[in-house]
Amino acid sequence: MRTEWVLLAALAAFSASSTVGKAAGVTVLHPEPGLKCMLLDAHDLQATVQSQLPPIRSAPSSNAPMIGYPSEIVLVRDPLQQQAGYVAVVRINGQPGWIAADKLQPWHAMNGRPGKCIPTLLSNGRLGTHIEQ
């Protein structure tokens, strides 16, 4: 089985044709319980600039302050927490937020091969993902 490490920190520079690799010196400590991986919807995966991405908000409301933008892999609370059309997410720095539910789709390997996305805690204190293929 081939294993790839995908770090959400590397996804901060998201682009439609993002390539991801290992971050120097960062290791996976352990899987992070209570989270699961989802993807942005097909439309938002085509974004070419950050401002085209759906915002992450501080509360489940379109009037709540924006606290950032998602990467293509979004870490959501597991079990899924939905409120007022929003889903509870956790940013790579651990900050909680909310994203519109209609902007997400279930995670699947982008290369069409079977795979599994596992949210993890990294040695730099940030969250990341481990992709098993």
Side-chain angles (χ1 to χ4, degrees), residues 33-54:
L35 297 175
K36 74 176 184 179
C37 302
M38 292 190 80
L39 288 174
L40 290 175
D41 66 10
H43 175 266
D44 290 311
L45 282 174
Q46 302 302 314
T48 57
V49 294
Q50 191 176 46
S51 62
Q52 293 175 332
L53 295 170

Side-chain angles (χ1 to χ4, degrees), residues 71-132:
S71 57
E72 64 186 40
I73 299 176
V74 181
L75 298 178
V76 301
R77 295 283 180 196
D78 187 29
L80 203 62
Q81 296 177 13
Q82 292 189 351
Q83 185 177 343
Y86 286 80
V87 172
V89 301
V90 179
R91 299 181 66 208
I92 63 170
N93 64 1
Q95 181 183 28
W98 295 84
I99 192 169
D102 64 354
K103 300 298 184 179
L104 298 174
Q105 64 177 315
W107 186 89
H108 57 85
M110 299 298 282
N111 60 11
R113 295 170 45 191
K116 183 177 181 183
C117 179
I118 303 167
T120 58
L121 180 62
L122 304 174
S123 60
N124 63 3
R126 293 187 176 264
L127 295 170
T129 58
H130 168 95
I131 308 296
E132 289 182 348

